[in-house]
Amino acid sequence: MRKHIRKWKATAEINMDASRYKTVEIKANTERKARILAEEKLKKDGAFYVTNMRIEEIIAE
């Protein structure tokens, strides 16, 4: 059985030098996993911490 991989768009407030919002796109099969992967990706890009994350599924038309 093949899992359905969906695309998610996560927008979060990140704190680097000054607070600002940043958006990343993630591929994951669940919203919970997408949230975890988005936080890891933002931290890898240099964010000290991530708050106020909003996540929504990107639906192909």
Side-chain angles (χ1 to χ4, degrees):
M1 185 174 185
R2 186 174 171 208
K3 290 185 178 181
H4 181 66
I5 304 298
R6 298 180 284 186
K7 279 187 164 183
W8 301 86
K9 181 171 70 171
T11 302
E13 183 178 354
I14 62 171
N15 196 335
M16 295 171 87
D17 293 332
S19 291
R20 61 189 178 107
Y21 285 92
K22 187 168 183 179
T23 302
V24 293
E25 288 189 8
I26 300 295
K27 289 183 181 179
N29 56 348
T30 64
E31 182 179 350
R32 181 173 181 264
K33 185 66 174 179
R35 194 175 292 273
I36 292 167
L37 292 173
E39 185 171 347
E40 288 175 0
K41 186 172 185 177
L42 289 167
K43 285 187 176 183
K44 184 179 176 185
D45 290 343
F48 295 128
Y49 59 87
V50 179
T51 57
N52 298 333
M53 186 179 296
R54 185 179 75 232
I55 191 159
E56 57 190 49
E57 185 178 357
I58 299 173
I59 299 173
E61 295 177 5

